Amino acid sequence: MASVRFSIQNEINRIVNKLKNEQSPDGSWRYPFETGISTDAYMIILLRTLEINDEDLIKALVERIESKQQSNGAWKLFYDEGEGNLTATVEAYYALLYSGYRKKSDKNMQVAKRKILEMGGIERVHMFAKFMLSLTGQYPWPKFFPIPVEIILLPLSFPINFWDFSVYGRANLTPILILADNKYRTKTRRSPDLSDLFVSRCKDDDYWRWLQTDRPFFSYIKQGLKSFIGLSQYIHSAAIHHAKQYMLNRIEPDGTLYSYFSSTFLMIFALLSLGYPKNHPIIIKAVDGLKSFACRINGYPHMQYTTATVWNTSLVSYALQETGVPSTDPVIEKANRFLLLRQHDRYGDWAVRNPYSLPGGWGFSNMNTINPDVDDTTASLRAIHKFAIKEPLFRQAWDRGLNWLLSMQNDDGGYAAFEKNVNKRILRHIPIQGAEFILTDPSAADLTGRTLEFFGKFTNLSKHHPTIQRGVKWLVNHQEKNGSWYGRWGICYIYGTWAAVTGMISVGVTPKHPAIQKAVKWLLKIQNNDGGWGESCKSDIEKTYVPLGVSTLIHTSWALDALIAIFDEPIPEIQAGIQFILRSAERKDWTTSYPTGQGMAGGFYIHYHSYQYVFPLLTLSHYQKKFENFYV
C-alpha cells in the first residue's frame, strides 16, 4: 500500500501544479465549455447574415468545423453516435457554404450532402435548427405556431402562463415568439441554396412534424386571453412590446441575453424583425459578446455556448483546498476574491416564484448577474467556506448565499437548477421538441444530492432539519428500480448516483440504508474489467443506463467517490478503480474528450475541460483521507 500512497500523492501533486499554473491573472480558471460545432456554424451564419466580414474568424471556424467531419461525411455529437447527427451535419454544411470558402462541388461537401439525404433530409433536423433555417430563408415557417406571443400577457393566476416556462425556455422562446409571429426571414447575396437537401415535397406545415397537433394548448391559451384581456390588435402589439422588453431588460453587461449563445443569436434576429438596423448598437454589442465566448481548442477557435468561468473557478478552488492547499495560498486567495465579485446582488426571474428571498446566489458564466443557479451557489460556497470563518466580507457573502439556497428548495423536497416550482407537467406535452429539457426546471437527483452534500459537510444544519429530511425523502422516492439515479446535467446515471449517494451519506444516512445498498450493487455491477466505469450519452436519450463499452476518467472518478463515501475500508473494487485513475492520468484518446455534461437529450452535450482534473483530484484526495490508516 505504501507504493499506492506514493503514486496517489504524485498524481495529486501533478494535478495541483497544473491547476496552479493554469490560473488566469484575475484568479479564475477559464477551461473550455465545449459543445461540438453547432455554435461555430451559427457564428458563421450570423456574421454572414449581418454582413460583418470578420474573415479571419470565419476562415478559422471553417477549419475547425471541417476538422470534426467524419469519413462518412457526417458530424457527430459524441463518439458512439452511430452514423452521425443529422442536425449537426446540416448546420455544418450550411455554415461551410455560407462562409463562401467552400463549394457544393468540394469532395467533402458532396459526401456531406449524400449523408444528409441518406439520413432523411433537411426536414428531419431538430426543431430549433428549423427555426434558424426559417429565419435565414432556407425553410418554410409553419402557418401555425402552438404558443401565441400573447401568452406573455397572461397573469400568474392563469393555470398556464409565461412564468411557468423555465428561465432557459423563456430566454429562447421569447425571440422565437416574435419571429414566428411575423414569420421573419432574411437572406443576403451570399446566402446558399439548400433546397436540394429536401427529400420530400410536401406542404409547408408537414415539414414541422413536431408542431402537428389538434391545437388544444393553443386553444386553451386563446380562451384564457379572451377571458382575461380580450383579443385585439392593441393586445397583440402590447404582447410584442412586452416580449421585446423582456429581452432588452435581461441583456448582460457583455451584450448577450442571459449569457447564452442561442438566446442571443435569436434575440438579434428578433430585433431585426422589429426593424432594428444591422448596425444598431445593441446588435453590434451582442455580436461582440458572442465573440468574447471564443476559446482555443487544439489550435482552432471554438465559439462556446457560454463560458463556465464561475463553475470552473469554484470547482478548482474547492478541489485544491481538499488536497490540503491552504486557504492562505495566493492561488486560493485570488480565486475566492474573484468568486466574491461574481456573487449576485440583483433580482432575477427566480424571484417571481421565490419573492421573499434576497439575492445571494452565483451564476455559471463569467458575465452573469441575474441568473443564479443552485449548483454554482453550492460550489462557490464550498470554495469560500474557510474564508467565511475569518473574514467579515466573506461571512456576509456566505450568509446571503446560504439563505438564498435554503429558499430555493422546491415544494416536493428536491432542488432544481434555476428556479423554484417550475415543473408543470402539461408543459412537457406542448409540441416543442425537447420540451422536457427546454421548458421545465424540475427537481433533479444531481442537484438535490449535491445540495445535501453541501449542507452535510459545510453547514451546522442538523440531519433532522426539515430541509435535509425533505431532500433525502425526495431522493429515496426518485431512485430507479436498478438502484441508480438519473442525473439531469451530466452523463448520466453514474453522475446522478454519485451525487445522490454522497449527498445522503453526508447528511447522516447510514450506508446500510436500502437505497444506499441498492446503489452499491448497481455501481459494482456496471464496473468494467479494467477497474473503471464509462457511460454513453445514449443513456439520456433512451432514459436507461447505456454502457459506453470503455472506461472514462471522469465516470470512474464519480463512481469511486460514491463508493469511498460508503465503505469504511478500500474494497478490491475501489482499489481497482484507483489503479485505473493512476494508469489513465495522462491518457490522450477519444475518451478524454467524451462529453460528460448534457443540456438536452439527443441535441446538446458538453465536454468540460476542467473535469479531467477536478474530479480525479477530489476522488484521490477523498480516498487518501479516508483510508490513510490502511497504508503500510
Side-chain angles (χ1 to χ4, degrees):
M1 291 291 286
S3 62
V4 173
R5 175 165 62 179
F6 181 75
S7 298
I8 289 174
Q9 190 59 54
N10 275 351
E11 179 57 13
I12 288 174
N13 293 342
R14 183 189 74 84
I15 298 174
V16 167
N17 290 332
K18 184 172 184 61
L19 290 172
K20 284 186 171 184
N21 290 333
E22 294 181 348
Q23 186 179 33
S24 298
D26 65 358
S28 69
W29 279 270
R30 297 176 181 265
Y31 289 110
F33 179 88
E34 187 178 357
T35 54
I37 54 87
S38 288
T39 44
D40 302 328
Y42 278 51
M43 193 69 193
I44 293 173
I45 294 164
L46 177 64
L47 293 174
R48 285 297 185 227
T49 300
L50 296 176
E51 299 178 290
I52 298 174
N53 300 319
D54 189 340
E55 299 308 311
D56 289 342
L57 177 58
I58 291 172
K59 286 179 184 177
L61 291 174
V62 164
E63 291 175 1
R64 179 174 198 270
I65 291 170
E66 280 193 328
S67 75
K68 298 293 184 179
Q69 188 176 18
Q70 306 295 308
S71 59
N72 67 356
W75 280 261
K76 291 183 177 184
L77 299 181
F78 50 90
Y79 182 85
D80 55 328
E81 197 185 16
E83 289 295 300
N85 184 276
L86 173 60
T87 297
T89 304
V90 169
E91 291 166 341
Y93 182 85
Y94 182 18
L96 293 176
L97 283 181
Y98 210 168
S99 75
Y101 294 107
R102 299 296 180 267
K103 301 182 179 69
K104 289 186 178 182
S105 57
D106 294 343
K107 184 176 179 181
N108 70 312
M109 299 296 282
Q110 290 179 335
V111 178
K113 177 183 174 181
R114 281 199 299 271
K115 198 64 189 173
I116 289 169
L117 297 175
E118 282 177 19
M119 290 191 285
I122 196 171
E123 56 265 53
R124 294 185 65 86
V125 300
H126 192 280
M127 176 181 286
F128 278 83
K130 289 181 178 179
F131 290 138
M132 179 274 291
L133 292 166
S134 296
L135 58 89
T136 56
Q138 301 291 344
Y139 204 87
W141 276 104
K143 293 185 177 69
F144 161 76
F145 191 72
I147 308 175
V149 68
E150 288 86 357
I151 193 174
I152 202 167
L153 300 177
L154 286 172
L156 281 170
S157 58
F158 192 69
I160 300 175
N161 61 79
F162 182 67
W163 298 99
D164 286 330
F165 299 142
S166 69
V167 65
Y168 183 81
R170 290 192 298 274
N172 286 280
L173 276 178
T174 300
I176 289 174
L177 293 177
I178 295 172
L179 291 162
D181 183 75
N182 60 18
K183 297 178 175 56
Y184 177 76
R185 50 199 292 126
T186 182
K187 300 182 81 169
T188 71
R189 60 182 179 82
R190 290 179 177 266
S191 294
D193 178 8
L194 301 185
S195 60
D196 54 351
L197 297 184
F198 287 87
V199 171
S200 59
R201 289 290 181 267
C202 50
K203 295 184 300 181
D204 288 356
D205 276 2
D206 290 339
Y207 288 127
W208 291 82
R209 293 177 301 114
W210 276 88
L211 294 183
Q212 299 311 301
T213 173
D214 58 1
R215 308 189 182 187
F217 183 80
F218 183 86
S219 300
Y220 189 57
I221 295 297
K222 284 291 187 183
Q223 187 58 45
L225 290 164
K226 287 179 181 179
S227 301
F228 279 91
I229 54 180
L231 286 174
S232 68
Q233 186 56 43
Y234 170 77
I235 294 300
H236 181 75
S237 299
I240 294 292
H241 173 75
H242 275 72
K244 182 182 78 170
Q245 290 305 125
Y246 179 85
M247 297 186 301
L248 297 180
N249 292 340
R250 288 157 180 80
I251 293 176
E252 291 286 5
D254 63 356
T256 63
L257 177 57
Y258 272 130
S259 295
Y260 295 136
F261 191 105
S262 60
S263 57
T264 306
F265 178 95
L266 292 166
M267 177 187 73
I268 290 169
F269 281 93
L271 293 176
L272 292 175
S273 77
L274 295 174
Y276 283 58
K278 292 181 178 180
N279 62 352
H280 191 282
I282 292 176
I283 291 176
I284 296 303
K285 189 172 183 181
V287 173
D288 289 341
L290 292 180
K291 285 184 177 181
S292 74
F293 289 0
C295 66
R296 293 198 73 81
I297 301 173
N298 299 326
Y300 298 109
H302 172 52
M303 305 308 304
Q304 298 174 100
Y305 183 82
T306 187
T307 58
T309 314
V310 171
W311 181 238
N312 286 331
T313 304
S314 57
L315 288 179
V316 173
S317 175
Y318 164 59
L320 289 174
Q321 292 177 74
E322 281 290 276
T323 69
V325 176
S327 60
T328 54
D329 189 296
V331 169
I332 305 301
E333 287 267 1
K334 286 173 65 178
N336 287 354
R337 296 200 183 279
F338 173 87
L339 291 174
L340 191 65
L341 293 174
R342 291 302 187 272
Q343 187 177 27
H344 291 191
D345 56 16
R346 298 171 60 198
Y347 286 95
D349 285 6
W350 57 268
V352 172
R353 300 289 185 189
N354 184 17
Y356 304 114
S357 176
L358 293 172
W362 276 264
F364 182 82
S365 62
N366 182 47
M367 198 58 65
N368 183 325
T369 64
I370 56 171
N371 191 28
D373 67 86
V374 166
D375 240 357
D376 278 279
T377 300
T378 61
S380 296
L381 289 170
R382 284 185 190 91
I384 70 168
H385 78 281
K386 291 179 182 177
F387 283 60
I389 298 171
K390 60 184 181 180
E391 291 195 38
L393 203 58
F394 278 94
R395 182 55 195 238
Q396 292 173 16
W398 174 273
D399 289 342
R400 287 174 52 218
L402 181 58
N403 288 335
W404 183 82
L405 186 63
L406 288 167
S407 77
M408 289 296 290
Q409 187 172 32
N410 284 336
D411 290 349
D412 64 8
Y415 273 87
F418 300 100
E419 293 177 293
K420 184 174 180 177
N421 299 328
V422 179
N423 187 32
K424 286 190 175 176
R425 290 194 171 275
I426 191 172
L427 297 181
R428 302 185 183 192
H429 301 293
I430 296 175
I432 295 290
Q433 193 171 2
E436 174 186 356
F437 297 91
I438 297 166
L439 300 184
T440 64
D441 188 15
S443 294
D446 45 330
L447 293 158
T448 305
R450 274 199 301 279
T451 304
L452 289 178
E453 191 271 350
F454 166 75
F455 287 147
K457 284 190 175 179
F458 299 94
T459 75
N460 293 321
L461 290 181
S462 163
K463 66 179 181 180
H464 301 296
H465 191 283
T467 296
I468 289 175
Q469 288 294 300
R470 291 170 60 229
V472 170
K473 183 178 179 181
W474 187 92
L475 285 172
V476 170
N477 290 339
H478 287 81
Q479 188 176 27
E480 303 288 328
K481 290 182 179 179
N482 64 6
S484 68
W485 280 269
Y486 173 76
R488 165 65 182 88
W489 298 98
I491 304 299
C492 190
Y493 290 91
I494 293 176
Y495 183 64
T497 303
W498 159 69
V501 166
T502 54
M504 293 172 73
I505 293 292
S506 294
V507 295
V509 175
T510 173
K512 295 181 180 180
H513 189 285
I516 300 296
Q517 286 300 303
K518 283 177 66 178
V520 168
K521 289 179 181 178
W522 181 76
L523 284 170
L524 296 181
K525 180 181 178 181
I526 64 168
Q527 187 175 22
N528 294 328
N529 291 334
D530 62 6
W533 283 259
E535 183 172 359
S536 172
C537 291
K538 294 176 183 177
S539 286
D540 74 337
I541 300 171
E542 300 186 18
K543 287 292 184 289
T544 187
Y545 170 73
V546 178
L548 184 58
V550 297
S551 300
T552 76
L553 194 59
I554 296 165
H555 284 121
T556 301
S557 298
W558 289 335
L560 271 179
D561 202 39
L563 294 174
I564 290 166
I566 295 166
F567 286 95
D568 291 328
E569 60 183 57
I571 62 172
E573 291 86 350
I574 291 178
Q575 300 286 42
I578 291 294
Q579 289 298 328
F580 175 84
I581 288 180
L582 296 176
R583 288 196 311 272
S584 307
E586 299 186 69
R587 181 175 170 184
K588 298 292 181 187
D589 57 23
W590 66 267
T591 66
T592 58
S593 59
Y594 192 80
T596 49
Q598 60 152 313
M600 181 172 64
F604 186 7
Y605 297 94
I606 306 150
H607 169 38
Y608 290 92
H609 285 231
S610 63
Y611 280 17
Q612 62 188 308
Y613 310 122
V614 167
F615 291 112
L617 186 60
L618 284 171
T619 296
L620 292 174
S621 299
H622 293 160
Y623 175 92
Q624 193 178 56
K625 286 179 183 177
K626 187 164 187 178
F627 301 133
E628 61 181 349
N629 292 334
F630 288 86
Y631 292 129
V632 176

